[in-house]
Amino acid sequence: MYPITERCVAFAHGLQYEDLSPFTVNRVKMYLLDLIGCGIGGSKEPLAKHYHRYVSERGGNREATLFGRGKGNVEQAAFFNAAVSHLLEMDDSGMG
């Protein structure tokens, strides 16, 4: 790993909920809801059908949620959810 990556991982690993300010907690909640909403909306877009077919063809353990499309394995869900979350280009709220 690169030194900056190691520092970021160490910071994130040591972070506790109690370390976060109420402002930070509320902001993260807003961003997560924004991401989920964009992911569900994006999962209805025509291109999402192709992403879904791609992950469905790979098989595997269906243990993670695909936004608006059922289940896939963790790797498939990470790919699918990240891809469809950006399809509507609305996931950057720009709130302050």
Side-chain angles (χ1 to χ4, degrees):
M1 266 193 275
Y2 294 100
I4 188 69
T5 304
E6 290 173 352
R7 288 176 50 204
C8 289
V9 168
F11 173 79
H13 182 71
L15 195 61
Q16 299 291 314
Y17 182 83
E18 296 77 25
D19 297 333
L20 305 173
S21 71
F23 174 83
T24 301
V25 171
N26 287 329
R27 191 54 65 105
V28 169
K29 288 178 183 179
M30 285 191 319
Y31 289 139
L32 285 173
L33 287 173
D34 182 54
L35 173 73
I36 293 167
C38 290
I40 292 169
S43 73
K44 309 303 182 205
E45 290 293 299
L47 187 55
K49 167 179 65 174
H50 300 289
Y51 295 151
H52 187 254
R53 185 175 65 234
Y54 173 79
V55 299
S56 296
E57 290 171 352
R58 264 109 200 108
N61 197 11
R62 307 284 185 206
E63 60 193 354
T65 299
L66 306 174
F67 288 143
R69 296 285 181 135
K71 298 279 188 177
N73 72 33
V74 174
E75 183 178 295
Q76 294 162 349
F79 165 76
F80 181 83
N81 292 341
V84 299
S85 294
H86 293 285
L87 287 178
L88 297 178
E89 292 297 331
M90 296 177 67
D91 60 316
D92 299 315
S93 65
M95 292 182 273

